[in-house]
Amino acid sequence: MHFELRDYQFLKVKQYLKQKFLLFSNGASQTSTNWLAVEQSLSKSNLKYYKVYNKIALKVLTNSVYNNIKQAIKGTFFFLKLDGNTNLLTKQQLFKKLKSVFFTLLSIKLNNKIYSIVQIKKIKSLNYRSNMSIFYQFLSANLKCVYGITYKKISKQCDLNT
């Protein structure tokens, strides 16, 4: 079986898109001496990177469910993922690490959904269970209120009709 570099790059991009937690970012073009410092700070931050070639990434994303992220791929584009050793990461730690590494965060893929930076800044943490519990509490409180209001209106209308 004969593999070409292009086929390998397609497979690598598809493999990265299967990750549960993935960061999409832009990085500035660096000289080799600066890039060495960037790689060292990435390894200290427990982040792995993969530089994505734009045309290959666009072709892969066109045929995937992440079609909406295509507009973000301009210039030097990177996939960043957490090293396997770190599972707990707060939002503040993540933004602090990326600022020290000279990357601009574009969006985050979390549990097969892509969130923009504006959406990420509004949530309290990156923990899925805590976010879902907050969402459940919000729904239960608001649905009880709405149910109570509509129940009172319906009961008043029924009293008026009889």
Side-chain angles (χ1 to χ4, degrees):
M1 195 161 121
H2 180 68
F3 277 117
E4 291 185 16
L5 180 62
R6 190 172 183 89
D7 295 333
Y8 173 75
Q9 290 169 344
F10 272 108
L11 291 173
K12 194 75 169 174
V13 169
K14 287 180 183 179
Q15 178 187 8
Y16 267 89
L17 286 175
K18 289 181 183 178
Q19 299 286 326
K20 288 190 183 261
F21 184 78
L22 187 66
L23 305 167
F24 299 99
S25 65
N26 273 343
S29 296
Q30 303 280 334
T31 62
S32 60
T33 56
N34 292 345
W35 187 249
L36 183 63
V38 168
E39 283 183 338
Q40 288 173 351
S41 60
L42 277 173
S43 65
K44 287 179 186 175
S45 302
N46 292 327
L47 291 170
K48 291 185 178 181
Y49 73 95
Y50 179 68
K51 182 180 180 198
V52 181
Y53 293 98
N54 293 352
K55 287 185 180 181
I56 292 173
L58 289 173
K59 285 182 182 179
V60 171
L61 291 172
T62 301
N63 298 326
S64 72
V65 293
Y66 307 116
N67 195 11
N68 294 336
I69 196 73
K70 286 190 325 185
Q71 289 79 20
I73 299 178
K74 305 281 188 220
T76 312
F77 189 73
F78 290 93
F79 288 146
L80 298 173
K81 71 175 187 174
L82 289 176
D83 214 1
N85 302 336
T86 57
N87 290 334
L88 299 174
L89 181 70
T90 63
K91 184 176 70 168
Q92 291 82 13
Q93 288 174 343
L94 177 68
F95 288 136
K96 185 178 175 183
K97 286 180 182 181
L98 288 176
K99 279 185 182 178
S100 67
V101 183
F102 305 111
F103 280 103
T104 304
L105 191 61
L106 299 174
S107 59
I108 294 177
K109 179 182 175 263
L110 182 64
N111 293 329
N112 296 327
K113 294 186 181 189
I114 295 179
Y115 299 100
S116 69
I117 297 306
V118 175
Q119 292 171 324
I120 294 297
K121 286 184 179 179
K122 290 182 181 179
I123 64 173
K124 299 218 181 267
S125 74
L126 295 176
N127 188 346
Y128 178 74
R129 287 188 182 184
S130 67
N131 287 335
M132 290 310 293
S133 67
I134 291 170
F135 181 63
Y136 176 75
Q137 291 170 358
F138 172 77
L139 284 180
S140 65
N142 288 325
L143 288 179
K144 285 179 186 176
C145 179
V146 170
Y147 176 73
I149 292 170
T150 56
Y151 182 72
K152 288 178 185 176
K153 285 183 181 179
I154 291 172
S155 64
K156 285 181 183 177
Q157 288 176 355
C158 292
D159 291 340
L160 294 173
N161 290 339
T162 57

